[in-house]
């Protein structure tokens, strides 16, 4: 193995890692805020925000909080890289025996393997880091054993191995491919990298220009994590050229000071899953051992990664907050669309009622025939039906307008919002109930009025009710009904009855439209998109900044 | 002339057998004949001395004729096998005709004759069009070919003009070209001369020929017994004969030689496709009937849906159409194959290995290749490469084998692409651009990268439909020990299968998967062989376009198909009519009319006493209910909200099961139709309602009135009589007057009662009539304004849906 970088340590990053309980409190408060952030509306930035949140959460849960709580825990070096880069072979060679399956079929590693010194085993057997992964520990495993427990989801399992050959104080984790065809593997690999003190990025002579690993390298730079790159499987004829190229690329990306190790392609490395000779990986092994045993170096590596993540919060938290704000803004727009549509329809219903639109069609024909060829009950029935039709029509129209507006909103594509009950009959039913209730109350009012009148002159309460309904709903056309009503129960009584009935009508119409609007908004309210998370996230960040 | 007569027997064969020959088969046969053909070509220089030679050529042709006759006999006996020879010999005849012409070029006076001969040739091809029509009665697909023939004729001039341009480009090629192309350059010059002549010939042929050549005509169907062959010949014939300047030049000789040698016993002697391939490819691509109709259908579909769908949705379909049209104009003799893969997989290495010369730079520096490089195995690919916008400095030729004409990869244009997965984004853009334009793709993967997500997710899965034009090559197998190569190959197959790519195993159509090592050369021979076969089939462009159409159709599926029942049911129509009737108040009007009639009947036929009482009662009551102002015409008599709701419901019903854009269109149509509907209904209610005033009186009313009057009279007479008895004016006789009065008192109500019973029926009829009038008028208005536009819109959707079905190639569509 060749040592390309003359300067390995990060002398420029001598930082102390003093952890006060206040900082931990602030951090866990921040963690809770992050965990509570939700992005249910499918906006353009939502998937990214969700991924950012998950990544941040993984870093906080799997790395930062446990690391700050227990700085003495062994370092974790995660070996990551593209499929076929030889990660497992590298880990096996570093350990000195076959702990991770290597092979020619891709993707090879499906279960992450953690290797540590037996003394360090307790650090990793618990749920201190990577709490989502089920631990599998097979102490005396034959190399050819089946690695998986039956019925276990292979991607959510962490296999813990111990090896005496590894120095205490450091653990190696063989991660799945970062660009695997299996999507779960990719997610898991990203998650595992979040838990690392030291990122060991493995690439090969054929791959060092691939886009995906470079993306990870840039991420590592962004978080200022302790990073090592290994250029694996370099045919010995071209070692010098390839490694020069790679160095140039790294320098160009601003990663020139990252330690680089080159592993030549040996027959053992290829496809056999055999171990590389110790000499091939000795420099890397020494470097890692140095991190583990030298207190200063260890502290450097740890502190650099930890502070890198803490620093990265400064930009990532506002990003999350921005995403939650965008969610809230979108929810607000959706609500405004509903409110606008229903308000508009409400105004229309009022103006139609004023204009006497209810006294049209069937109802009008009945009214013309009243009282000679039509009973008051029939008139009232048809008026009630007509009013129901008016309300139903405006509710449907409002829904249609909402749909129209929502169709242009990307946020409205959320499955919770799309799947509203498609049965307008239920709305018809609800409106019909409300209108019939109004009718009953109106009839009671009419009876009240009639009861107060002289017994023998008293008109039929049904006629009075029909007339007052006509007056209320007929607008200008129902004026003659008012005259007749006045003739029957006197001008004073007619006025009183009319006012009461009018108030009652307004009340019922308002209630109907309000209920329908609420029903329409219920799924949106159910998503619970509020303005608070934004402020809370920022507040948690500023508390944390103060405590550092 | 001989050529013309030669073809007569073939015609018979074609007719008697009526068999369709697959286009690919003669080509393969052609390759088997490769050796003899090239031999013939090498001889041609010496052989073509002058007129004596021509004479022998003619002779040869007459021999051919007899040979063909012999074959025709056989064909008559054995059916299918003989159809193929007929086809071939027919074609050879075609090339034949112009062949000798160019052969005699050095000879002045021969040239003249040749021109005449060229006339015949060009004419024969030109006559293809008309001939197809003339020969129609005896042909099965006459009509079909007829129209295509016209198309061919119209294209003649254009095509020959274009081929000129092509040839000029070829000249440029020649300049760039490496050593060993002298002959080509030579040929190019000759061809230019020939093509100039041909242009003239083409003109003549367009202008039509005397009937003297009609005998040549029926032969064409025989030649073109395969579908694709027909169009290829018809469209491409004039340039084909033009480029015969070089290609067919040797061909006539070959035909002759073969005939001389075999005495016409070998039916596979001459294959027409090969010479065209050996020369500059001037024969544009032709798609077979099905693909063409699918493309047409897609074009129509895009046209029909342009108003309904946004351009983004139709963008891909439009692109496919454009590409298909662009590819179609270009050479059908070439197959453009791109080598794509990840960085470091060995694309350039494979490219160089196939070309036999180091063209593309290889190296350990990643990424190595930054711009696509092309290598063409034969001439005439310039326009194809222009389409890919590969600059001239990046166009190369493969190593020239001593026997270059026999290269099995003739017609191949290989493109070495940059990588698609490196950090250099512009590489990926180039790859994406070119992959859309090439005919086939060789994906190079290596053992390290074959499972990369970016390869499978970004490229292989979306292009799964293109399996037939896909090769997947596992490179660098030399790096794998022993049986590991097999393992990796199996795993690769599994991954491809998961991507949905059909694998071309066991002779099924699909992607070809190979393991090879470009470094050691292991497996390259196999790839070369497969490529050669693939290129010789010449199906790749059409397959690619077909797969593109499939993909475009699949993308468009959600906007055309929902898999649900569509259409406006009878119940929905009736419900709409009911709602409109409610809106105009038909039921209420009917009931009111019925009751009014009944009331009038009662009043008319009631007892006078009762009427008197009513009159008194009315006078006591305030005069309400029949206010005169109510007879005025109301504005907005129709319930607007009911009309609106009815329209909304019916449009909802009509758009159920339609894809979103079409449902939206349906809704818009309904809303547009509903504008002014309430006003129309208002007007209608006034116009078609029952006439105002009293309803008509039936004939029995006067009788009833008379009866009532007589009853009253009886009562009065009886009463007076009794009064007279009391006064003593008349002798007392209780019996008769009491009886009279009693009869009057009982009879009056009796008549009233029976009248009421009798009036019930007519009253109901009257009411129903009133209701029916209104209801029908309203329904008619609704139908004209709303239902008919909806039905038209539905019809439009169905048309589009059928068109879509035609695009997918399913044909009939389940609705």
């Amino acid at each position: 193995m060749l040592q390309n970088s003359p300067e390995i340590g990060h002398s420029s990053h001598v930082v102390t890692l003093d952890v006060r309980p206040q900082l931990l409190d602030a951090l866990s408060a921040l963690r809770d805020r992050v965990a509570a952030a939700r992005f249910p509306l499918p906006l353009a930035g939502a998937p990214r925000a969700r991924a950012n949140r998950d990544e941040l959460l993984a870093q906080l849960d799997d790395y930062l909080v446990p690391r700050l709580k227990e700085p003495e825990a062994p370092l974790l070096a995660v070996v990551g890289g593209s499929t076929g880069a030889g990660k497992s072979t590298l880990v096996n060679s570093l350990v000195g025996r076959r702990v991770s399956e290597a092979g020619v079929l891709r993707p090879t590693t499906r279960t992450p393997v953690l290797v540590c010194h037996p003394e360090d085993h307790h650090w990793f057997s618990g749920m201190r880091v990577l709490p989502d992964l089920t631990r599998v520990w097979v102490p005396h495993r034959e190399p050819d054993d089946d690695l998986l427990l039956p019925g276990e989801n292979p991607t959510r399992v962490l296999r813990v191995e111990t090896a005496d050959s590894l120095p205490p104080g450091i653990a190696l984790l063989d991660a799945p491919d970062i660009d695997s065809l299996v999507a779960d593997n990719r997610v898991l690999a990203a998650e595992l990298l979040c838990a690392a003190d030291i990122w060991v990025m493995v690439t090969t002579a054929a791959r060092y220009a691939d886009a995906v690993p470079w993306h990870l390298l840039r991420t590592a730079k962004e978080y200022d994590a302790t990073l090592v790159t290994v250029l694996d499987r370099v045919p010995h004829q071209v070692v010098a050229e390839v490694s020069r190229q790679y160095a140039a690329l790294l320098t160009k990306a601003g990663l020139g000071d990252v330690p680089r190790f080159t592993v030549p392609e040996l027959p053992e490395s290829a496809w056999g899953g055999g171990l590389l000779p110790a000499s091939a990986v000795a420099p890397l092994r020494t470097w890692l051992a140095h991190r583990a045993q030298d207190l200063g170096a260890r502290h450097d590596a740890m502190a650099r990664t930890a502070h890198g993540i803490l620093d990265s919060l400064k930009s990532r938290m506002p990003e999350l907050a921005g995403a939650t704000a965008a969610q809230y803004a979108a929810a607000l727009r959706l609500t405004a669309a509903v409110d606008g549509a229903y308000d508009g329809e409400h105004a229309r219903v009022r103006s139609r009622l004023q204009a006497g639109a209810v006294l049209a069609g069937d109802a009008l024909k009945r009214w013309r025939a009243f009282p000679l060829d039509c009973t008051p009950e029939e008139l009232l029935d048809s008026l009630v039906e007509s009013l129901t039709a008016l309300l139903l029509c405006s509710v449907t129209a409002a829904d249609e307008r909402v749909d129209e507006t929502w169709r242009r909103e990307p946020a409205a594509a959320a499955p919770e919002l799309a799947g509203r009950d498609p049965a307008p009959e239920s709305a018809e039913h609800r409106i019909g109930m409300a209108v019939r209730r109004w009718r009953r109350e109106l009839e009671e009012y009419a009876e009240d009025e009639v009861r107060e009148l002289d017994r023998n002159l008293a008109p039929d309460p049904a006629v009075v009710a029909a007339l007052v309904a006509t007056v209320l709903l007929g607008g200008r056309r129902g004026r003659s009904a008012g005259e007749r009503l006045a003739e029957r129960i006197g001008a004073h009584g007619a006025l009183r009855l009319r006012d009461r009935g009018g108030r009652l009508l307004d009340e019922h119409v308002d209630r109907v439209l309000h209920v329908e609007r609420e029903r329409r908004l219920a799924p949106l309210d159910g998503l619970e998109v509020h303005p608070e998370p934004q402020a809370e996230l920022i507040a948690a960040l500023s508390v944390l900044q103060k405590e550092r | 002339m001989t050529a013309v007569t030669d073809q007569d027997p073939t015609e018979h064969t074609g007719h008697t057998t009526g068999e369709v020959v697959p286009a690919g088969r003669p080509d393969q046969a052609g390759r088997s004949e490769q050796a003899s053909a090239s031999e013939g070509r090498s001889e041609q220089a010496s052989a073509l001395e002058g007129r004596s030679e021509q004479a022998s050529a003619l002779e040869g042709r007459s021999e051919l004729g007899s040979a063909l006759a012999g074959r025709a006999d056989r064909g008559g006996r054995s059916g299918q096998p003989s159809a193929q020879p007929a086809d071939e010999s027919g074609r050879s005849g075609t090339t034949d005709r112009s062949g000798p012409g160019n052969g005699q070029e050095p000879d002045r006076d021969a040239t003249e004759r040749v021109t005449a001969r060229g006339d015949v040739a060009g004419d024969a091809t030109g006559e293809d069009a008309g001939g197809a029509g003339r020969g129609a009665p005896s042909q099965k697909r006459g009509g079909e070919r007829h129209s295509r023939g016209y198309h061919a004729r119209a294209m003649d001039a254009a095509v020959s003009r274009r081929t000129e341009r092509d040839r000029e480009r070829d000249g440029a090629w020649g300049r760039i070209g490496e050593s060993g192309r002298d002959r080509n350059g030579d040929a190019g010059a000759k061809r230019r001369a020939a093509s100039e002549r041909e242009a003239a010939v083409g003109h003549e042929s367009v202008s039509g020929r005397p009937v003297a050549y009609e005998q040549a005509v029926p032969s064409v169907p025989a030649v073109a017994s395969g579908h694709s062959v027909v169009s290829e010949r018809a469209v491409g014939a004039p340039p084909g004969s033009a480029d015969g300047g070089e290609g067919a030049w040797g061909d006539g000789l070959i035909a002759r030689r073969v005939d001389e040698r075999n005495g016409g016993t070998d039916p596979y002697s001459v294959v027409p496709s090969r010479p065209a391939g050996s020369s500059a490819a001037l024969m544009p691509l032709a798609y077979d009937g099905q693909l063409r109709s699918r493309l047409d259908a897609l074009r129509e579909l895009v046209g029909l849906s342009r108003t309904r769908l946004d351009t983004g949705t139709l963008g891909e379909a439009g692109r496919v159409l454009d590409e298909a049209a662009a590819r179609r104009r270009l050479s059908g003799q070439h197959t453009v194959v791109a080598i794509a893969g990840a960085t470091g997989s060995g694309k350039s290495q494979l490219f160089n290995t196939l070309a036999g010369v180091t063209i593309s730079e290889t190296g350990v520096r990643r990424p190595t290749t930054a711009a696509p490089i092309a290598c063409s195995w034969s001439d005439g690919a310039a326009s194809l490469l222009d389409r890919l916008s590969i600059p001239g400095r990046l166009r190369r030729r493969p190593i020239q084998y001593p026997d270059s004409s026999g290269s099995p990869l003739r017609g191949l244009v290989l493109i070495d692409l940059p990588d698609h997965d490196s950090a250099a984004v512009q590489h990926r853009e180039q790859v994406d651009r070119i992959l859309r334009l090439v005919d086939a793709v060789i994906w190079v993967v290596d053992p390290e990268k074959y499972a990369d997500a970016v390869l499978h997710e970004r490229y292989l899965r979306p292009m799964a439909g293109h399996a037939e034009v896909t090769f997947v090559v596992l490179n660098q197998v030399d790096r794998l020990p022993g049986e590991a190569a097999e393992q990796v190959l199996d795993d690769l197959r599994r991954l491809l299968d998961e991507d949905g790519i059909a694998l071309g195993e066991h002779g099924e159509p699909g992607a070809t998967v190979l393991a090879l090592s470009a470094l050691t050369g292991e497996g390259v021979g196999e790839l070369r062989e497969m490529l050669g076969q693939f290129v010789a089939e010449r199906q790749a462009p059409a397959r690619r376009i077909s797969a593109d159409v499939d993909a475009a159709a699949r993308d468009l599926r959600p906007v055309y198909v929902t898999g649900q029942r569509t259409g406006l049911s009878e119940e929905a129509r009736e419900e709409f009519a009911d709602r409109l009737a409610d809106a105009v108040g038909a039921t209420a009007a009917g009931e009111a009319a019925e009751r009014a009639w009944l009331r009038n009947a009662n009043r008319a036929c009631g007892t006078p006493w009762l009427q008197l009482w009513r009159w008194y009662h009315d006078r006591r009551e305030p005069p309400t209910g029949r206010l005169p102002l109510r007879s005025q015409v109301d504005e907005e008599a129709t319930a607007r909200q009911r009309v609106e709701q009815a329209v909304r419901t019916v449009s909802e019903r009509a758009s159920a099961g339609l894809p979103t854009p079409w449902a939206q269109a349906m809704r818009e149509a309904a809303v547009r139709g509903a504008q002014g509907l309430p006003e129309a209904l208002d007007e209608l209610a006034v116009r078609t309602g029952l006439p105002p005033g009293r309803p008509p009186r039936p004939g029995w009313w006067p009788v009833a009135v008379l009866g009532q009057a007589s009853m009253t009279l009886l009562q009065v007479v009886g009463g007076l009589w009794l009064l007279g008895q009391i006064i003593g004016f008349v002798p007392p006789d209780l019996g008769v007057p009491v009886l009279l009065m009693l009869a009057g008192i009982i009879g009056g109500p009796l008549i009233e009662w029976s009248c009421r019973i009798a009036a019930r029926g007519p009253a109901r009829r009257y009411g129903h009539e009133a209701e029916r009038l209104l209801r029908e008028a309203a329904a008619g208005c609704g139908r004209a304004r709303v239902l008919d536009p909806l039905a038209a819109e539905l019809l439009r959707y169905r048309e589009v849906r059928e068109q879509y079905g035609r695009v997918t190639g399913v044909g009939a569509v389940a609705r």
Side-chain angles (χ1 to χ4, degrees), chain B residues 194-284:
Chain B
S195 70
E196 273 162 34
R197 255 202 339 258
E198 269 312 309
V201 171
H203 261 288
E204 278 179 38
S205 69
V206 170
S207 65
R209 297 302 290 179
V211 197
Y213 298 114
E214 264 193 36
Q215 47 182 335
V217 164
S219 69
V220 175
V223 170
S225 38
H227 235 279
S228 61
V229 178
V230 177
S231 51
E232 204 171 314
R233 301 292 316 168
V235 175
S241 51
D243 86 67
E246 190 216 25
W249 180 42
D251 230 75
L253 287 173
I254 293 163
R256 179 177 58 82
R257 288 177 57 83
V258 167
D259 280 338
E260 276 168 4
R261 281 184 193 166
N262 301 342
T265 49
D266 182 5
Y268 299 96
S269 56
V270 183
V271 178
S273 55
R274 184 177 40 72
S278 71
S279 70
L282 301 170
M283 185 174 286

Side-chain angles (χ1 to χ4, degrees), chain B residues 202-383:
Chain B
H203 261 288
E204 278 179 38
S205 69
V206 170
S207 65
R209 297 302 290 179
V211 197
Y213 298 114
E214 264 193 36
Q215 47 182 335
V217 164
S219 69
V220 175
V223 170
S225 38
H227 235 279
S228 61
V229 178
V230 177
S231 51
E232 204 171 314
R233 301 292 316 168
V235 175
S241 51
D243 86 67
E246 190 216 25
W249 180 42
D251 230 75
L253 287 173
I254 293 163
R256 179 177 58 82
R257 288 177 57 83
V258 167
D259 280 338
E260 276 168 4
R261 281 184 193 166
N262 301 342
T265 49
D266 182 5
Y268 299 96
S269 56
V270 183
V271 178
S273 55
R274 184 177 40 72
S278 71
S279 70
L282 301 170
M283 185 174 286
L285 181 65
Y287 302 140
D288 67 358
Q290 202 204 348
L291 178 56
R292 200 137 24 109
S293 70
R294 286 179 66 197
L295 282 170
D296 287 346
L298 183 60
R299 191 171 302 119
E300 207 155 307
L301 183 70
V302 169
L304 282 173
S305 357
R306 198 147 271 163
T307 52
R308 296 272 172 267
L309 305 176
D310 55 10
T311 41
T313 319
L314 292 172
E316 178 61 17
R319 193 194 67 78
V320 167
L321 282 175
D322 290 348
E323 297 305 343
R327 182 67 186 88
R328 197 192 139 120
R329 281 194 294 273
L330 302 176
S331 163
Q333 315 299 315
H334 290 87
T335 305
V336 185
V337 181
I339 300 184
T343 172
S345 289
K347 295 179 297 297
S348 299
Q349 184 95 51
L350 179 66
F351 182 74
N352 291 342
T353 311
L354 285 173
V357 61
T358 303
I359 295 173
S360 191
E361 185 197 344
T362 58
V364 290
R365 181 200 178 113
R366 303 270 154 257
T368 321
T369 309
I373 299 178
C375 175
S376 172
W377 265 255
S378 55
D379 292 340
S383 49

Side-chain angles (χ1 to χ4, degrees), chain A residues 135-138 146-153:
Chain A
R135 301 296 195 274
V136 183
W137 189 42
V138 192
D146 193 355
L147 304 181
L148 301 178
L149 301 179
E152 195 86 60
N153 179 4

Side-chain angles (χ1 to χ4, degrees), chain A residues 197-518:
Chain A
D197 288 294
I198 301 170
W199 296 30
V200 183
M201 303 298 302
V202 184
T203 188
T204 68
R207 282 195 177 275
Y208 67 81
D210 280 13
V212 182
W214 274 101
H215 175 70
L216 263 192
L217 283 175
R218 278 192 213 102
T219 313
K221 180 168 185 284
E222 188 190 325
Y223 298 158
D224 201 19
T226 306
L227 180 68
V228 190
T229 69
V230 179
L231 189 56
D232 201 2
R233 303 184 55 185
V234 188
H236 58 88
Q237 311 91 321
V238 294
V239 164
E241 194 187 343
V242 166
S243 105
R244 197 177 58 244
Q245 293 279 349
Y246 189 45
L249 285 178
L250 281 175
T251 313
K252 208 170 137 199
L255 291 162
D257 59 340
V258 170
R260 271 183 299 114
F261 300 93
T262 307
V263 179
E265 172 144 38
L266 298 170
E268 294 91 330
S269 72
W271 325 118
L275 303 181
L276 299 171
S279 64
V281 293
L284 177 59
R285 196 182 147 80
T286 318
W287 191 88
L288 288 174
H290 182 69
R291 298 304 108 175
Q293 283 153 354
D294 182 85
L295 270 183
R298 172 191 157 82
H299 196 84
D300 273 355
M302 214 158 70
R304 179 176 170 155
T305 310
H307 280 280
I309 293 176
L310 277 177
D311 287 342
S312 77
L313 288 180
K314 230 180 291 176
S315 63
R316 292 156 85 190
M317 293 295 284
E319 208 177 305
L320 277 187
T324 56
Q327 292 275 323
Y328 179 63
L332 218 55
R333 271 204 305 282
L334 294 182
T335 315
V338 175
D339 282 346
Y342 274 91
D343 284 345
E345 283 304 323
H346 199 164
R348 192 164 77 115
V349 166
R350 277 174 184 288
S351 73
R352 301 292 293 158
L353 277 176
Q354 293 279 314
V358 177
L359 194 63
D362 249 12
L364 184 60
K365 294 279 194 292
R366 297 271 185 219
W367 168 237
R368 279 199 199 150
F370 181 79
L372 280 184
D373 300 325
C374 173
T375 62
E377 280 79 18
E378 280 173 338
L379 177 60
L380 208 48
D381 278 346
S382 68
L383 280 171
V384 160
E385 252 176 57
S386 193
L387 179 60
T388 310
L390 176 68
L391 289 176
L392 181 65
C393 169
S394 42
V395 165
T396 332
D399 270 348
E400 212 170 68
R401 270 176 63 189
V402 170
D403 284 343
E404 186 94 0
T405 321
W406 279 19
R407 208 172 294 142
R408 292 193 293 272
E409 291 279 349
E416 294 89 346
L417 300 183
R420 91 194 154 85
D421 60 338
E425 283 82 352
S426 61
E428 195 174 349
H429 181 70
R430 285 193 299 273
I431 293 171
M433 289 262 284
V435 174
R436 281 197 297 279
R437 193 171 303 132
W438 169 74
R439 176 197 172 158
R440 272 200 300 281
E441 287 181 37
L442 193 70
E443 280 171 342
E444 278 164 24
Y445 284 177
E447 277 167 29
D448 284 350
E449 284 296 330
V450 169
R451 210 172 297 137
E452 285 169 22
L453 290 177
D454 201 358
R455 277 291 162 202
N456 46 4
L457 278 177
D460 185 5
V463 173
V464 172
L467 282 176
V468 78
T470 315
V471 171
L472 290 172
L473 300 171
R476 210 151 50 75
R477 250 178 289 186
R479 208 180 294 150
S480 62
E483 290 161 16
R484 275 199 255 170
L485 187 66
E487 282 165 13
R488 299 237 158 115
I489 58 170
H492 193 66
L495 204 63
R496 193 171 52 222
L497 186 57
R498 205 173 140 173
D499 285 351
R500 286 178 74 192
R503 272 199 302 278
L504 194 67
L505 178 66
D506 284 351
E507 219 172 85
H508 274 89
V509 168
D510 289 355
R511 193 181 304 150
V512 163
L513 288 173
H514 181 74
V515 164
E516 293 303 319
R517 177 194 308 209
E518 288 307 309

Side-chain angles (χ1 to χ4, degrees), chain A residues 204 209 271 361 368 373 476, chain B residues 423 448 479 595 630 634-635 637:
Chain A
T204 68
W271 325 118
R368 279 199 199 150
D373 300 325
R476 210 151 50 75
Chain B
E448 199 178 310
R479 289 174 69 186
R595 285 177 198 173
R630 235 163 347 105
D634 292 285
E635 74 274 22

Side-chain angles (χ1 to χ4, degrees), chain A residues 76-77 79 91 94-95 113-116 166 170-174 288:
Chain A
L76 182 62
V79 181
V91 169
L94 284 170
V95 174
V113 181
L114 191 145
V115 197
C116 60
L166 216 60
I170 192 158
L172 287 174
L173 205 164
D174 181 16
L288 288 174

